[in-house]
């Protein structure tokens, strides 16, 4: 999400081995979707676009994917992408406190196939969360620093999942705390995995937790194509 120090793309983790080719293909697709949502939200580079003004809070409504959420009125908007490859990149919409993009709430939308009509298609909240953390963990990278991710919480919130996790690169003294609300929505053309993620440096998380949770509580998604 916000920090320029976290703008490198994520190495795709290997899919779990499977005795059947069809289940192996499904595992690869599932991991790709996970990396396209909550995991990539932690590493997308964003650039300031506009300063918000006005009332105490304002509501963002996405015209393309039909989701919405509210943020403090003085937070700045940012637009970005998940990586530099136009064929795999996903649009990121983010908001952050004035002058402090290391703290932000961002949304990433990933196209879904027919195999994923609802969140239960990804397994339980725990399975989903640990899939995200596995995709974020690079204990022996080919290049760059070692990176680790740890799941702190995972649960259902209605038809959405809530996950809380950390991302760490100790050699760079980089410690992020993240909370994501994830759901499946239909925008009128395609189904999307919509991931709203609050990102915060670990040393600032305690003082910002309540505000970030309140923002995530405002997220509204379009209903899925199939209930």
């Amino acid at each position: 999400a916000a920090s320029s120090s976290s703008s490198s793309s994520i190495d795709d983790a290997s899919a779990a081995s499977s005795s059947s080719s069809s289940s192996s293909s499904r595992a690869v697709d599932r991991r790709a979707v996970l990396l396209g949502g909550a995991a990539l939200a932690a590493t997308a580079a964003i650039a300031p676009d506009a300063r918000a003004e006005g009332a105490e809070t304002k509501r963002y409504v996405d015209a393309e994917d039909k989701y919405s959420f509210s943020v403090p009125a003085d937070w700045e908007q940012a637009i970005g992408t998940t990586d530099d490859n136009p064929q795999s990149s996903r649009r990121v919409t983010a908001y952050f406190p004035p002058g402090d993009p290391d703290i932000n709430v961002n949304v990433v939308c990933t196209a879904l196939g027919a195999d994923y009509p609802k969140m239960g298609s990804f397994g339980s909240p725990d399975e989903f969360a640990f899939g995200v953390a596995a995709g974020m963990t690079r204990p022996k990278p080919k290049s760059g620093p070692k990176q680790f991710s740890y799941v702190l919480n995972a649960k259902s919130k209605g038809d959405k999942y809530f996950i809380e996790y950390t991302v760490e690169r100790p050699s760079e003294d980089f410690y992020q705390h993240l909370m994501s609300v994830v759901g499946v929505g239909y925008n009128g053309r395609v189904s999307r995995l919509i991931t709203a993620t609050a990102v915060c440096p670990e040393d600032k998380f305690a003082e910002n937790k309540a505000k970030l949770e309140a923002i995530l509580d405002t997220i509204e998604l379009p209903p899925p194509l199939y209930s």
Side-chain angles (χ1 to χ4, degrees), residues 14-20 23-24 27:
S14 298
S17 60
S18 171
S19 58
S20 109
S23 61
S24 177

Side-chain angles (χ1 to χ4, degrees), residues 97-110:
D100 193 6
D102 285 348
I103 300 171
N104 71 87
V105 175
N106 67 75
V107 180
V108 178
C109 297
T110 306

Side-chain angles (χ1 to χ4, degrees), residues 52-86:
E53 297 179 356
E56 217 172 282
T57 63
K58 70 170 187 308
R59 191 156 190 88
Y60 172 80
V61 179
D62 191 84
E64 180 178 348
D65 287 314
K66 316 303 182 187
Y67 65 84
S68 63
F69 62 100
S70 296
V71 296
D74 64 340
W75 279 32
E76 299 178 30
Q77 187 188 53
I79 302 297
T81 57
T82 56
D83 59 56
D84 295 329
N85 185 341

Side-chain angles (χ1 to χ4, degrees), residues 8-9 35 49 55 62 80 98 105 122 135 153 178 186 189-190 223:
S8 59
S9 61
L35 290 177
D49 179 53
D62 191 84
V105 175
F122 295 95
N153 193 10
L178 305 97
Y186 181 67
R189 297 181 298 106
V190 295

Side-chain angles (χ1 to χ4, degrees), residues 162-217:
F162 171 85
I163 65 174
E164 182 176 359
Y165 57 106
T166 60
V167 176
E168 303 176 359
R169 293 199 290 272
S171 66
E172 296 183 345
D173 197 29
F174 176 88
Y175 298 91
Q176 267 188 345
H177 200 123
L178 305 97
M179 300 182 293
S180 293
V181 173
V182 191
V184 173
Y186 181 67
N187 68 7
R189 297 181 298 106
V190 295
S191 290
R192 300 282 200 186
L193 182 72
I194 302 173
T195 305
T197 300
V199 183
C200 187
E202 187 63 63
D203 61 356
K204 297 181 180 180
F205 181 73
E207 63 187 279
N208 288 283
K209 179 181 179 181
K211 179 180 290 187
L212 294 173
E213 286 179 329
I215 294 171
L216 290 180
D217 283 344

Side-chain angles (χ1 to χ4, degrees), residues 23-151:
S23 61
S24 177
S25 175
R26 182 179 174 86
V28 172
D29 292 343
R30 181 173 180 271
R31 177 58 54 82
V33 170
L34 292 177
L35 290 177
L40 282 176
T43 59
I46 60 174
D49 179 53
R51 178 81 178 258
E53 297 179 356
E56 217 172 282
T57 63
K58 70 170 187 308
R59 191 156 190 88
Y60 172 80
V61 179
D62 191 84
E64 180 178 348
D65 287 314
K66 316 303 182 187
Y67 65 84
S68 63
F69 62 100
S70 296
V71 296
D74 64 340
W75 279 32
E76 299 178 30
Q77 187 188 53
I79 302 297
T81 57
T82 56
D83 59 56
D84 295 329
N85 185 341
Q87 294 185 337
S88 61
S89 182
R90 296 164 179 84
R91 180 171 56 98
V92 180
T93 300
Y95 283 91
F96 59 92
D100 193 6
D102 285 348
I103 300 171
N104 71 87
V105 175
N106 67 75
V107 180
V108 178
C109 297
T110 306
L112 291 177
D115 286 345
Y116 304 97
K118 55 186 177 180
M119 287 306 300
S121 307
F122 295 95
S124 69
D126 282 337
E127 290 171 326
F128 183 88
F130 282 103
V132 169
M136 295 293 291
T137 298
R138 300 194 301 259
K140 296 180 179 180
K142 293 180 180 179
S143 62
K146 294 180 180 180
Q147 180 170 286
F148 305 93
S149 182
Y150 303 97
V151 175

